[in-house]
Amino acid sequence: MRKTPTVYDVADRAGVSIATVSRVLRTPDTVRPATRERVLDAVAELGYVPSGSARGLAERRTGVLGLYFPRFDAMDEVAALDVLSGDRVGPFTIVQDAEPRDDRGSMLFQDDVLRGAELEAWRRGFVLMVGIGRGDPRTSTVRDMAGRVDGLVVLARSIPDDVLVQLSARVPVVILAGPRRGDRYDHVTVSDAEAMGELTRHVLAQTGGRAPAYLAGPADSPDGAQRWQGFSEAIEAAGVPIASVPVLRGDFTRSSGRRIGEELVARGLPAALMSSNDRMALGALDAFRDGGVRVPVDVVVTGFDGIDVGAVSAPPLTTVRQPMIQLGRAAIQVLAHRLSAPDADPVSVSLPVEIVLRRSSLRSS
Amino acid sequence: MRKTPTVYDVADRAGVSIATVSRVLRTPDTVRPATRERVLDAVAELGYVPSGSARGLAERRTGVLGLYFPRFDAMDEVAALDVLSGDRVGPFTIVQDAEPRDDRGSMLFQDDVLRGAELEAWRRGFVLMVGIGRGDPRTSTVRDMAGRVDGLVVLARSIPDDVLVQLSARVPVVILAGPRRGDRYDHVTVSDAEAMGELTRHVLAQTGGRAPAYLAGPADSPDGAQRWQGFSEAIEAAGVPIASVPVLRGDFTRSSGRRIGEELVARGLPAALMSSNDRMALGALDAFRDGGVRVPVDVVVTGFDGIDVGAVSAPPLTTVRQPMIQLGRAAIQVLAHRLSAPDADPVSVSLPVEIVLRRSSLRSS
DNA sequence: TTGAAAGCGCTAACAG
DNA sequence: CTGTTAGCGCTTTCAA
């Protein structure tokens, strides 16, 4: 692979100046057709592709938008792997009846956010750069990214406030899917609280007003905060003191849900169990099934997120489905808006969610 | 947001030259601690983040690697959506018992490729840019990307050969997960053919040597080609003329599998049905269940891909699980290797897959 | 319609 | 240890 061609090479070959080459590429109809052809031929022959760096420097915009996620659980600790070392193990291995891997974390849903973001970025002529939070946010990827993009979408809580302030001195930042932080930034979120409130009312109707237990995630989860808020407000509004509601704490994994489910089976069931995510709810269903507990007759169960396996669990799981693709699209839209109107007031958009009622919460059906 | 600060601003503020600022950022210990402190203070006060474009130009490398996917099925046609228009529909909607969406295409698996790639890129100090194939590949995203990255991973068949030649004149290209195309490029793939061969032998053992029917995808699928190859070789090796094997053609969706399954129920069952992907196999299982066909007693069924829902289907589906995360990692590793040794011979890596035996193919258990 | 030339912000010799 | 300076490859006036 010899030296990559530049405008100068193209200009030489076509017998024009570099300015003309640039014009052919950026504003084709300002150059005479014959000249244009010569230049395009030279481009093709040389396999010329303009340097994004040089272009970015000159134009003072990169045409790149960034999407920054919080870390995938445990992915950091993945062992080093060297496929080039040559010590491989043959073309396949055989295993019996493997379980689906639970270790991909709660982050599955982020795939759709990425899809939506990429789609919308493409529609607007941008390309997308992705980064995942890990290591010290003060020095890591996200700063790199900020230097290379025209704007940045940051998933809730993936970086601390002071870093955010720094970054936003260089590029516009849109906060995605977390609680609003002041109103310095543009913001896109979902109606988690409202949906959890409505779901809670639904559950109370099923249990005849008897209070559900709440299955929470780690204490510092911002998503969890909104869901809890919706839940507790609905509970209080129904005249039940929130302090009287049992709160169980898991870590968002299916196995933690199962463990808690087993405890409930042993110690006595609540009228309903409302989980702050689907995976814990599914774990609880596992425990209930094994313990001979009938859902929804003995206990009503609900989840939150709308992951696919919830539709085929036994029984199928009532949940709240997040509009992930739309979230990604919305974030890029807001960013594009900001880019075209740098001084407009900060925007805050809240996307509707979908409450999906299935057998796990439907006693009557 | 006022003008973004540059090295010059930082240098002024710290009372040093721009060279010193650059040193503090790139080789901190070549600078006297006192000076260094002053510079870092200025950086913090100004919220300075270096321009990736300028850096890229000067260093002649961007620190960015690109990952280019073929298009997600049907995602292009997604309607425009304007979240800023203000005509929203309220915080939530309620639906009864929604099915999981099948429309996310066969591309789910690509999420893990992305994860693996991002992980490995990060470990090596790169950031990742992603692009999805759509529109005319000659003018689209992928060329943009090629101009902005140090190297490019391209998923099989997402771009035509002549474009590939152009791109590889600028940056190293690694082809991922397709058949090898000559040996001009580095290449990472999986042992689909071998695994399908082994799986076919397994099925023949279960059926007592009676030949399975084959459920294929669209004719032009390159993945499909390898799977078919492994299948047909194993069939012939077993002494069965491949021409005598029924080949049914679907489009990789669950519903096409279901339709074909229904036809089989109506017209007569083969001893086994081997599908070239999981989703069609699951659709066939749906049809068999509804038609009162017992799997694996009346017909043995296998899939290919290892998607999660296959573990919880009725019965659980025998399949071949692809090492998607590893694929992503391997691609980046190969790319990094190429970057550090531009003139080394092209590399070709084949990753082992995992054959997962479950009830849908186990008559004996 | 085209060319000459001045940056864009940064890195990396090379001097001092 | 620090400053001066010459590019990196491109876009964009400004003249011709």
Side-chain angles (χ1 to χ4, degrees), chain A residues 49 52 62 78-79 81 90 93 95 97-98 104 112 114 118 122 134 147-148 170 308 329 333 355 357-358, chain B residues 49 52 62 78-79 81 93 95 97-98 104 112 114 118 122 134 147-148 170 308 329 333 352 355 357-358:
Chain A
V49 177
T62 63
V78 171
L81 158 93
T93 57
V95 302
D97 200 26
R104 293 195 297 177
D112 281 338
L114 176 62
E118 201 280 341
W122 167 77
R134 54 168 90 75
R148 301 183 218 263
R170 176 168 246 283
D308 284 347
R329 296 188 69 181
Q333 283 186 22
I355 297 175
L357 301 181
R358 300 203 185 97
Chain B
V49 175
T62 63
V78 170
L81 160 92
T93 56
V95 301
D97 201 25
R104 292 196 295 179
D112 281 339
L114 176 63
E118 201 281 341
W122 168 78
R134 55 168 90 74
R148 301 181 218 263
R170 174 169 250 282
D308 283 347
R329 295 187 70 180
Q333 282 184 21
I355 297 176
L357 300 180
R358 300 204 185 95

Side-chain angles (χ1 to χ4, degrees), chain A residues 120 123-124 326 329-334 337 347 349 351, chain B residues 79-89:
Chain A
E120 197 66 26
R123 291 187 59 235
R124 291 159 187 272
Q326 303 295 45
R329 296 188 69 181
I332 296 297
Q333 283 186 22
V334 170
H337 169 258
V347 168
V349 181
L351 264 41
Chain B
L81 160 92
D82 187 355
V83 295
L84 292 171
S85 67
D87 46 57
R88 238 154 301 120
V89 290

Side-chain angles (χ1 to χ4, degrees), chain B residues 58-70:
Chain B
E59 286 186 87
R60 255 149 305 187
R61 62 183 292 279
T62 63
V64 182
L65 299 180
L67 185 57
Y68 190 75
F69 292 98

Side-chain angles (χ1 to χ4, degrees), chain B residues 227-264:
Chain B
R227 296 169 192 186
W228 169 255
Q229 183 199 335
F231 172 78
S232 55
E233 286 177 6
I235 290 290
E236 297 245 297
V240 180
I242 189 68
S244 72
V245 169
V247 175
L248 313 162
R249 198 168 289 285
D251 61 6
F252 282 152
T253 64
R254 187 163 184 157
S255 53
S256 73
R258 183 188 192 101
R259 182 174 42 70
I260 290 166
E262 287 164 351
E263 283 170 25
L264 291 174

Side-chain angles (χ1 to χ4, degrees), chain B residues 17 19-20 23 31-32 35 57-58 60:
Chain B
S17 74
T20 298
R23 281 190 201 100
V31 173
R32 185 151 46 94
T35 322
L57 229 204
R60 255 149 305 187

Side-chain angles (χ1 to χ4, degrees), chain A residues 178-190:
Chain A
R180 267 198 105 175
R181 294 195 212 176
D183 36 24
R184 312 156 46 90
Y185 309 103
D186 294 314
H187 198 266
V188 175
T189 190
V190 288

Side-chain angles (χ1 to χ4, degrees), chain B residues 177-194:
Chain B
R180 264 199 108 175
R181 294 194 214 178
D183 36 24
R184 313 156 46 88
Y185 309 104
D186 294 315
H187 199 266
V188 175
T189 190
V190 288
S191 310
D192 271 6
E194 292 88 337

